[in-house]
Amino acid sequence: MAEPLFHRLVLIGIGHIGSSIARALHHAPGTVERLVICDASPAHLARAKELELGDEYVADPAEAVAGADGVILCTPVGSFAAIAEGIAPHLAPGCVLSDVGSTKQSVIRDVGPHVPEGVHFVPAHPLAGTEFSGPDAGLADLFKGRWCLISLPEGADEDAVEKIESLWAALGARTARMTAAHHDRVIAIVSHLPHLIAFTICGTADDLADETREEVLQFAASGFRDFTRIAASDPVMWRDIFINNKDALLEMFARFSEDAQSMARAVRWGDTGYIEDRINRSRKIRKSLIDIKQA
Ligand SMILES: NC(=O)C1=CN([C@@H]2O[C@H](COP(=O)(O)OP(=O)(O)OC[C@H]3O[C@@H](n4cnc5c(N)ncnc54)[C@H](O)[C@@H]3O)[C@@H](O)[C@H]2O)C=CC1
Ligand SMILES: O=C(O)C(=O)Cc1ccc(O)cc1
């Protein structure tokens, strides 16, 4: 039997993404010898145990990481600095420390300074998920055919990077390497801005006069309904993402606002050519996503 990629892999945070990794690992036997689950919420830890997601359940992160050769942070990005500081003295030399956070410059900024000599830091971000959270929301096939982006800090250890790439391949994902700055700009437009717009449009609808609001709910079987799915996402997770990708998100928002103003102007002046052209471009993007099976 081939050597496992990790002898003792610790998932800190057993919510939607952590529990999806655990479930996917059950379908990739031999990848990890011993899966250790750690979570600050006693209820989530107990639920993970009930679901038999791992081999060990440990509340204290320092205790969980002792003797581990792999640790993945699967908590909201705003919690990373404190977790990294707490576990740093307990990480064994040679351990690979990774994460699944949706922002990458902030993760390198917050975790990087705590990484001890001899521990290899490999930040990663799987581009897969849903609006659900918690250990019950995990899906074994969540990462199948999806991308996982790897954003390397300076001086990253090539063997450690390849280990994380192999782990994601075992979970069914394709990997690509990208600088953290580029990652944050790309993800700001494809993920963070759409969520900002969804949260905003739901708020705007909710602010309408009472009788209109009722009609919004009653007749939502149109475009609005699609926005409400991503708008149902976890507030702490998204608060942390917005704050930790502030610059790229605000840049993309400024561009979006300008374009939305142009569209509104075209509507005001009856510029049908502009309106049709914008919609045709959008349809092409949708078709391309379907063609490359990322819709
Ligand atoms: N939800 C999604 O679709 C995706 C999320 N991500 C990233 O994955 C990470 C986790 O997101 P989800 O799994 O969706 O969140 P979640 O809310 O489902 O799970 C987070 C888990 O972390 C635990 N936790 C929170 N603070 C903690 C701490 N200080 N110490 C230990 N445990 C703690 C919570 O109790 C919870 O079980 C985030 O950084 C997010 O940006 C990445 C890709 C997709
Ligand atoms: O539910 C959806 O459509 C998502 O967009 C899930 C998601 C959320 C955060 C990420 O960093 C990546 C994917």
Side-chain angles (χ1 to χ4, degrees):
M1 183 131 169
E3 267 282 288
L5 274 175
F6 292 98
H7 290 286
R8 180 181 172 89
L9 179 70
V10 184
L11 300 177
I12 303 189
I14 194 67
H16 178 42
I17 299 299
S19 74
S20 294
I21 295 175
R23 285 175 168 91
L25 282 173
H26 291 168
H27 294 266
T31 308
V32 168
E33 197 176 315
R34 197 156 181 81
L35 184 63
V36 181
I37 290 173
C38 175
D39 200 289
S41 154
H44 285 188
L45 206 55
R47 185 64 186 140
K49 195 172 182 178
E50 257 170 36
L51 294 166
E52 298 182 7
L53 293 178
D55 302 299
E56 253 179 72
Y57 306 86
V58 184
D60 177 17
E63 191 190 320
V65 304
D69 53 355
V71 174
I72 308 181
L73 306 181
C74 306
T75 59
V77 290
S79 63
F80 281 14
I83 295 176
E85 190 180 6
I87 62 174
H90 308 275
L91 293 170
C95 177
V96 181
L97 173 63
S98 189
D99 77 295
V100 296
S102 305
T103 59
K104 290 275 76 74
Q105 289 176 108
S106 77
V107 170
I108 293 174
R109 177 199 69 204
D110 292 349
V111 176
H114 299 293
V115 180
E117 195 64 41
V119 170
H120 310 300
F121 180 33
V122 183
H125 176 202
L127 302 185
T130 73
E131 68 277 26
F132 299 112
S133 35
D136 282 292
L139 299 166
D141 60 356
L142 184 68
F143 309 115
K144 268 218 176 97
R146 298 289 163 191
W147 287 101
C148 180
L149 301 180
I150 316 266
S151 294
L152 299 175
E154 240 168 76
D157 180 85
E158 185 57 29
D159 288 346
V161 179
E162 285 172 17
K163 245 177 145 175
I164 291 298
E165 287 173 336
S166 301
L167 176 69
W168 282 102
L171 301 177
R174 293 185 276 175
T175 55
R177 300 185 190 189
M178 193 180 275
T179 66
H182 191 57
H183 167 280
D184 286 358
R185 292 188 83 242
V186 171
I187 298 303
I189 187 72
V190 302
S191 176
H192 302 171
L193 181 64
H195 278 81
L196 184 150
I197 294 168
F199 297 136
T200 308
I201 200 167
C202 286
T204 306
D206 197 43
D207 286 343
L208 291 173
D210 277 354
E211 82 278 15
T212 324
R213 187 191 302 147
E214 263 169 38
E215 283 167 357
V216 166
L217 293 178
Q218 193 178 349
F219 305 126
S222 48
F224 182 73
R225 187 183 51 190
D226 289 346
F227 280 110
T228 63
R229 186 190 68 77
I230 59 170
S233 300
D234 187 70
V236 172
M237 173 184 143
W238 281 99
R239 174 203 70 190
D240 283 5
I241 291 173
F242 286 0
I243 297 298
N244 284 287
N245 197 20
K246 182 169 89 176
D247 294 345
L249 178 57
L250 292 180
E251 182 198 332
M252 297 308 163
F253 176 72
R255 295 175 74 127
F256 167 79
S257 301
E258 265 183 38
D259 291 344
Q261 285 293 348
S262 301
M263 183 62 120
R265 190 176 161 80
V267 171
R268 177 178 302 284
W269 295 103
D271 185 347
T272 52
Y274 183 94
I275 298 169
E276 274 183 57
D277 177 57
R278 281 279 150 164
I279 299 173
N280 278 323
R281 281 171 65 186
S282 307
R283 281 160 63 100
K284 272 194 200 139
I285 291 178
R286 174 73 187 166
K287 187 174 177 314
S288 313
L289 280 185
I290 292 169
D291 290 347
I292 61 168
K293 298 193 166 51
Q294 295 290 318

